[in-house]
PDB file of all heavy atoms in Angstrom:
ATOM      1  N   ASP A  80      92.345  88.880  77.847  1.00 97.00           N
ATOM      2  CA  ASP A  80      91.359  89.471  78.620  1.00 97.00           C
ATOM      3  C   ASP A  80      91.569  90.973  78.782  1.00 97.00           C
ATOM      4  O   ASP A  80      92.495  91.381  79.508  1.00 97.00           O
ATOM      5  CB  ASP A  80      91.340  88.765  80.024  1.00 97.00           C
ATOM      6  CG  ASP A  80      90.240  89.345  80.942  1.00 97.00           C
ATOM      7  OD1 ASP A  80      89.544  90.280  80.550  1.00 97.00           O
ATOM      8  OD2 ASP A  80      90.242  88.825  82.122  1.00 97.00           O
ATOM      9  N   ARG A  81      90.756  91.776  78.143  1.00 97.00           N
ATOM     10  CA  ARG A  81      90.938  93.249  78.130  1.00 97.00           C
ATOM     11  C   ARG A  81      90.896  93.791  79.570  1.00 97.00           C
ATOM     12  O   ARG A  81      91.504  94.833  79.849  1.00 97.00           O
ATOM     13  CB  ARG A  81      89.865  93.864  77.331  1.00 97.00           C
ATOM     14  CG  ARG A  81      90.111  95.333  77.067  1.00 97.00           C
ATOM     15  CD  ARG A  81      89.168  95.896  75.937  1.00 97.00           C
ATOM     16  NE  ARG A  81      89.496  97.334  75.735  1.00 97.00           N
ATOM     17  CZ  ARG A  81      90.457  97.778  74.982  1.00 97.00           C
ATOM     18  NH1 ARG A  81      91.229  96.948  74.330  1.00 97.00           N
ATOM     19  NH2 ARG A  81      90.640  99.069  74.836  1.00 97.00           N
ATOM     20  N   ALA A  82      90.273  93.109  80.493  1.00 97.00           N
ATOM     21  CA  ALA A  82      90.154  93.581  81.862  1.00 97.00           C
ATOM     22  C   ALA A  82      91.440  93.262  82.709  1.00 97.00           C
ATOM     23  O   ALA A  82      91.578  93.761  83.825  1.00 97.00           O
ATOM     24  CB  ALA A  82      88.970  93.112  82.560  1.00 97.00           C
ATOM     25  N   ALA A  83      92.279  92.396  82.167  1.00 98.00           N
ATOM     26  CA  ALA A  83      93.455  91.904  82.982  1.00 98.00           C
ATOM     27  C   ALA A  83      94.616  92.849  82.804  1.00 98.00           C
ATOM     28  O   ALA A  83      94.822  93.516  81.785  1.00 98.00           O
ATOM     29  CB  ALA A  83      93.827  90.519  82.519  1.00 98.00           C
ATOM     30  N   HIS A  84      95.359  92.930  83.830  1.00 98.00           N
ATOM     31  CA  HIS A  84      96.570  93.842  83.806  1.00 98.00           C
ATOM     32  C   HIS A  84      97.589  93.342  82.785  1.00 98.00           C
ATOM     33  O   HIS A  84      98.448  94.076  82.421  1.00 98.00           O
ATOM     34  CB  HIS A  84      97.198  93.890  85.221  1.00 98.00           C
ATOM     35  CG  HIS A  84      96.383  94.647  86.175  1.00 98.00           C
ATOM     36  ND1 HIS A  84      96.611  94.596  87.607  1.00 98.00           N
ATOM     37  CD2 HIS A  84      95.364  95.522  85.998  1.00 98.00           C
ATOM     38  CE1 HIS A  84      95.743  95.420  88.172  1.00 98.00           C
ATOM     39  NE2 HIS A  84      94.966  95.903  87.288  1.00 98.00           N
ATOM     40  N   THR A  85      97.485  92.065  82.396  1.00 98.00           N
ATOM     41  CA  THR A  85      98.432  91.446  81.425  1.00 98.00           C
ATOM     42  C   THR A  85      97.831  91.432  80.055  1.00 98.00           C
ATOM     43  O   THR A  85      98.386  90.663  79.218  1.00 98.00           O
ATOM     44  CB  THR A  85      98.869  90.085  81.919  1.00 98.00           C
ATOM     45  OG1 THR A  85      97.716  89.307  82.202  1.00 98.00           O
ATOM     46  CG2 THR A  85      99.775  90.194  83.158  1.00 98.00           C
ATOM     47  N   PHE A  86      96.747  92.092  79.789  1.00 97.00           N
ATOM     48  CA  PHE A  86      96.122  92.130  78.508  1.00 97.00           C
ATOM     49  C   PHE A  86      97.144  92.475  77.468  1.00 97.00           C
ATOM     50  O   PHE A  86      97.902  93.403  77.589  1.00 97.00           O
ATOM     51  CB  PHE A  86      94.967  93.075  78.456  1.00 97.00           C
ATOM     52  CG  PHE A  86      94.326  93.304  77.092  1.00 97.00           C
ATOM     53  CD1 PHE A  86      93.670  92.188  76.503  1.00 97.00           C
ATOM     54  CD2 PHE A  86      94.426  94.470  76.452  1.00 97.00           C
ATOM     55  CE1 PHE A  86      93.125  92.337  75.248  1.00 97.00           C
ATOM     56  CE2 PHE A  86      93.875  94.654  75.180  1.00 97.00           C
ATOM     57  CZ  PHE A  86      93.180  93.577  74.606  1.00 97.00           C
ATOM     58  N   GLY A  87      97.133  91.699  76.303  1.00 96.00           N
ATOM     59  CA  GLY A  87      97.959  91.997  75.207  1.00 96.00           C
ATOM     60  C   GLY A  87      99.451  91.626  75.524  1.00 96.00           C
ATOM     61  O   GLY A  87     100.347  92.025  74.758  1.00 96.00           O
ATOM     62  N   GLY A  88      99.704  90.919  76.607  1.00 96.00           N
ATOM     63  CA  GLY A  88     101.058  90.589  76.946  1.00 96.00           C
ATOM     64  C   GLY A  88     101.825  91.654  77.676  1.00 96.00           C
ATOM     65  O   GLY A  88     103.074  91.540  77.757  1.00 96.00           O
ATOM     66  N   ARG A  89     101.105  92.690  78.203  1.00 96.00           N
ATOM     67  CA  ARG A  89     101.783  93.707  78.932  1.00 96.00           C
ATOM     68  C   ARG A  89     102.603  93.070  80.068  1.00 96.00           C
ATOM     69  O   ARG A  89     102.074  92.272  80.801  1.00 96.00           O
ATOM     70  CB  ARG A  89     100.815  94.703  79.462  1.00 96.00           C
ATOM     71  CG  ARG A  89     100.366  95.768  78.438  1.00 96.00           C
ATOM     72  CD  ARG A  89      99.669  96.939  79.129  1.00 96.00           C
ATOM     73  NE  ARG A  89      98.623  96.523  80.044  1.00 96.00           N
ATOM     74  CZ  ARG A  89      97.326  96.419  79.702  1.00 96.00           C
ATOM     75  NH1 ARG A  89      96.930  96.702  78.522  1.00 96.00           N
ATOM     76  NH2 ARG A  89      96.414  96.077  80.592  1.00 96.00           N
ATOM     77  N   ARG A  90     103.851  93.468  80.165  1.00 97.00           N
ATOM     78  CA  ARG A  90     104.704  92.956  81.267  1.00 97.00           C
ATOM     79  C   ARG A  90     105.583  94.100  81.786  1.00 97.00           C
ATOM     80  O   ARG A  90     106.416  94.609  81.111  1.00 97.00           O
ATOM     81  CB  ARG A  90     105.606  91.822  80.764  1.00 97.00           C
ATOM     82  CG  ARG A  90     106.454  91.241  81.812  1.00 97.00           C
ATOM     83  CD  ARG A  90     107.126  89.963  81.321  1.00 97.00           C
ATOM     84  NE  ARG A  90     107.791  89.279  82.386  1.00 97.00           N
ATOM     85  CZ  ARG A  90     108.219  87.957  82.350  1.00 97.00           C
ATOM     86  NH1 ARG A  90     108.028  87.279  81.257  1.00 97.00           N
ATOM     87  NH2 ARG A  90     108.780  87.420  83.359  1.00 97.00           N
ATOM     88  N   THR A  91     105.285  94.494  83.010  1.00 97.00           N
ATOM     89  CA  THR A  91     105.938  95.690  83.610  1.00 97.00           C
ATOM     90  C   THR A  91     106.340  95.312  85.015  1.00 97.00           C
ATOM     91  O   THR A  91     106.044  94.280  85.551  1.00 97.00           O
ATOM     92  CB  THR A  91     105.010  96.905  83.659  1.00 97.00           C
ATOM     93  OG1 THR A  91     103.920  96.574  84.596  1.00 97.00           O
ATOM     94  CG2 THR A  91     104.421  97.214  82.331  1.00 97.00           C
TER      95      THR A  91
END
Side-chain angles (χ1 to χ4, degrees):
Chain A
D80 179 1
R81 190 167 181 82
H84 290 164
T85 51
F86 173 64
R89 281 195 308 266
R90 183 170 188 165
T91 65

